[in-house]
């Protein structure tokens, strides 16, 4: 069937209207919770690097990457994507002005 044929189906339209009404009632009762993403606020450029620097500065000694990630989540006060922390670490290890030094596999310290 073409799109026009499907949309002209009266039985389907009635069933869809009923479904929409049921979903509205369920949502109004609070039984359906909307999915929250990891990003709850707009991200600013380099926020991840600044958070990782703050965590490593506070610690003062080499830390494992997964511990850095956990500390950044505590610092930010919510969930943070692992990829954001990983990106901040690996993109600032080399280059003209590295911020971090990789002292061992998965362990970082401020430069």
């Amino acid at each position: 069937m073409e799109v026009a044929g499907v949309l002209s189906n009266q039985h389907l339209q009635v069933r869809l209207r009923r479904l929409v009404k049921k979903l509205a009632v369920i949502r109004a009762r609070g039984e359906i919770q909307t999915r929250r993403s990891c990003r709850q606020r707009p991200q600013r450029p380099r926020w991840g690097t600044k958070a990782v620097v703050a965590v490593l500065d506070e610690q003062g000694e080499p830390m494992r990457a997964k511990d850095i990630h956990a500390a950044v989540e505590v610092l930010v006060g919510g969930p943070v994507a692992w990829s954001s922390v990983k990106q901040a670490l690996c993109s600032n290890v080399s280059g003209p002005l590295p911020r971090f030094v990789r002292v061992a596999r998965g362990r970082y310290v401020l430069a």
Side-chain angles (χ1 to χ4, degrees), residues 2-110:
E2 292 183 17
V3 175
V6 172
L7 294 177
S8 66
N9 187 340
Q10 296 297 320
H11 181 67
L12 178 63
Q13 289 181 355
V14 170
R15 291 181 71 187
L16 285 175
R17 281 191 206 110
R18 285 186 199 155
L19 179 62
V20 168
K21 288 178 185 177
K22 284 182 182 181
L23 287 174
V25 169
I26 291 172
R27 183 166 287 175
R29 282 191 233 148
E31 294 176 17
I32 295 179
Q33 295 187 6
T34 57
R35 181 179 172 207
R36 292 185 181 179
S37 68
C38 197
R39 281 178 42 164
Q40 296 178 352
R41 65 195 183 297
Q43 301 295 333
R44 295 189 175 101
R46 295 185 295 278
W47 71 270
T49 304
K50 291 177 183 179
V52 172
V53 167
V55 165
L56 286 173
D57 187 38
E58 182 180 316
Q59 187 69 23
E61 60 185 28
M63 290 180 71
R64 295 184 306 173
K66 71 178 194 172
D67 295 334
I68 295 170
H69 176 248
V72 166
E73 286 186 330
V74 170
L75 178 70
V76 171
V80 173
W82 162 246
S83 60
S84 298
V85 174
K86 188 170 68 170
Q87 174 66 28
L89 287 169
C90 67
S91 66
N92 289 291
V93 169
S94 61
L97 297 171
R99 292 186 182 196
F100 312 119
V101 175
R102 183 177 173 208
V103 294
R105 182 174 181 236
R107 297 180 70 84
Y108 297 88
V109 69
L110 281 177

